């Protein structure tokens, strides 16, 4: 899919990203990719803050990836028609995400704030502070999942 | 998969990321997620540098995401046994990626260098420079695909 998707995107002749309307299935795939990649990096931080060994470089790399993805503007991926359907797998987004703008803004803002703080704390190399911030970041992920993601 | 994977990762009791051996299918999924998310962001930059309108913020967000993913240490995702198999879809990695360390190091290093430069150029807001750097970055993606990815 990656190359096909890239070629599809590259062949768009619209001027400016705002005009680029992704197909729902592609938008869902990209969302799932972003969250999946962040999940891997959450796991890496978790292993470092809860394991016996703290590797500053590992945590920095993982935190930077989460921060950049969190700030990338994934909101644009919730295109009309992507409330249902299959990307890599069936989307589990709730319909409320498309209607409760205030609620979404609140949880999304909290997530971005904690992701930015995680990257900042990681850069200091302070393992105890990283562990504390990792807890806050995880809670901000859960805040959105609780309200806007169907449980398995 | 995301939550299952996260839970799986979170339940690991190993001390330090180096000990964490991902299952090949999960490693492939995460690779595909990382590349897929970067492809979306390449498409966003492309639309801005080739369209009539240049949105600095869009390009910065996209370039930062690519940079952070490029620097995240995806090499760790090429675990033994992940030369074949299915993540989100069948992997198209060539066997050579697991044997030609020098060649992989060269193309990976070139990609990271161009991704870092893309983020730097994006921050200046210079559309012409961003267009030029986008060409170099795309070429560095292709450099790896040519050697280490099976064509569709």
């Amino acid at each position: 899919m990656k190359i096909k998707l890239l070629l599809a995107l590259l062949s768009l002749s619209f001027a400016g990203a705002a005009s680029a309307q992704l197909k729902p299935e592609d938008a869902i795939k990209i969302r799932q990719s972003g969250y999946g990649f962040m999940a891997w990096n959450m796991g890496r931080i978790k292993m470092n803050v809860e394991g016996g060994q703290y590797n500053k470089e590992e945590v920095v790399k993982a935190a930077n990836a989460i921060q950049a993805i969190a700030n990338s503007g994934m909101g644009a991926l919730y295109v009309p028609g992507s409330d249902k359907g299959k990307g890599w797998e069936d989307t589990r987004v709730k319909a409320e995400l498309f209607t409760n703008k205030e609620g979404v803004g609140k949880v999304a803002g909290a997530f971005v704030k904690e992701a930015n703080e995680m990257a900042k704390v990681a850069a200091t190399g302070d393992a105890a502070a990283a562990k504390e911030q990792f807890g806050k970041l995880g809670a901000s992920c859960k805040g959105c999942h609780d309200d806007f993601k169907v449980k398995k």
Side-chain angles (χ1 to χ4, degrees), chain A residues 81-108:
Chain A
S82 69
D83 54 324
K84 288 197 172 67
K86 189 175 177 160
W88 293 119
E89 59 189 358
D90 287 340
T91 183
R92 289 194 283 139
V93 72
K94 288 185 186 173
E96 286 82 355
L97 187 136
F98 294 83
T99 53
N100 182 359
K101 289 205 169 153
E102 196 186 327
V104 171
K106 208 171 146 184
V107 293

Side-chain angles (χ1 to χ4, degrees), chain A residues 2-83:
Chain A
K2 290 187 301 292
I3 285 297
K4 262 170 62 187
L5 171 64
L6 181 57
L7 292 178
L9 286 164
L10 298 189
S11 69
L12 289 170
S13 57
F14 301 122
S19 339
Q21 185 62 75
L22 286 164
K23 279 192 294 183
E25 68 179 72
D26 289 332
I28 297 171
K29 272 187 183 175
I30 300 165
R31 281 173 355 209
Q32 292 171 340
S33 295
Y35 294 125
F37 201 77
M38 287 196 286
W40 173 53
N41 286 290
M42 287 295 284
R44 295 167 78 188
I45 300 176
K46 173 103 172 165
M47 282 185 281
N48 276 278
V49 298
E50 302 209 336
Q53 251 181 318
Y54 187 83
N55 183 324
K56 180 187 170 185
E57 274 314 302
E58 274 286 301
V59 176
V60 166
K61 285 192 257 179
N64 285 351
I66 293 166
Q67 177 185 37
I69 296 172
N71 284 279
S72 68
M74 289 184 69
L77 297 169
Y78 291 88
V79 299
S82 69
D83 54 324

